[in-house]
């Protein structure tokens, strides 16, 4: 339906109940993935068929979604399929099926997305499907489903620009669709 459904979670039972007004129209077609910023203020949905990213403000009391002014935002790459927000909530990365990564700076006061200089960046692999950040937010990792690799990028903390890590991409077996990082306590 080209929309995002929102639910409230019952903290005792775990049951879901639909948020008033849900589902919320994205303004794009074929939403494939959603991501929230760490503060819970904003939600982002990739719209694969229209090549854009929808941004919503999240009502902290009700969970209702309101489109951010200017949304949806052009992805810059072809068929955006996945989104992730860095741990500091400063940048939104979007994996484009066209083998690129679109990077946006996030205006935390408004939820507006602005492409960073140089975006979209080459994914260094075919069909990027998932993005994970190391817990400190200095590096991003991308699973490239059709090339059997994981690409690693350093993130410029001031601009959000991506630079490939030495040795990237790294072999990952057949068809990796997801990637996650874990902080190991020592």
């Amino acid at each position: 339906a080209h929309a995002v459904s929102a639910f409230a979670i019952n903290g005792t039972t775990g049951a879901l109940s639909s948020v008033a007004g849900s589902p919320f129209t994205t303004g794009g077609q074929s939403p494939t993935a959603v991501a929230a910023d760490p503060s819970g203020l904003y939600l982002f949905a990739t719209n694969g068929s229209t090549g854009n990213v929808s941004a919503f403000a999240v009502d902290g009391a009700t969970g209702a979604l309101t489109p951010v002014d200017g949304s949806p935002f052009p992805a810059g790459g072809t068929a955006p399929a996945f989104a992730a927000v860095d741990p500091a909530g400063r940048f939104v990365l979007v994996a484009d099926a066209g083998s690129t990564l679109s990077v946006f700076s996030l205006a935390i006061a408004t939820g507006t997305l602005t492409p960073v200089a140089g975006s979209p960046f080459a994914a260094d692999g075919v069909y990027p499907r998932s993005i994970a950040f190391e817990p400190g937010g200095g590096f991003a990792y991308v699973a490239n489903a059709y090339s059997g690799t994981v690409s690693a990028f350093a993130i410029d903390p001031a601009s959000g620009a991506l630079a490939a890590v030495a040795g990237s991409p790294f072999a990952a077996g057949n068809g990796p669709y997801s990637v996650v990082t874990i902080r190991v306590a020592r």
Side-chain angles (χ1 to χ4, degrees), residues 136-158:
F139 299 94
Y141 301 90
V142 180
N144 300 303
Y146 291 175
S147 57
T149 60
V150 171
S151 297
F153 297 94
I155 304 168
D156 184 296

Side-chain angles (χ1 to χ4, degrees), residues 99-116:
S99 300
T100 60
L101 300 170
S102 298
V103 183
F104 300 91
S105 61
L106 168 59
I108 200 65
T110 63
T112 301
L113 297 178
T114 304
V116 304

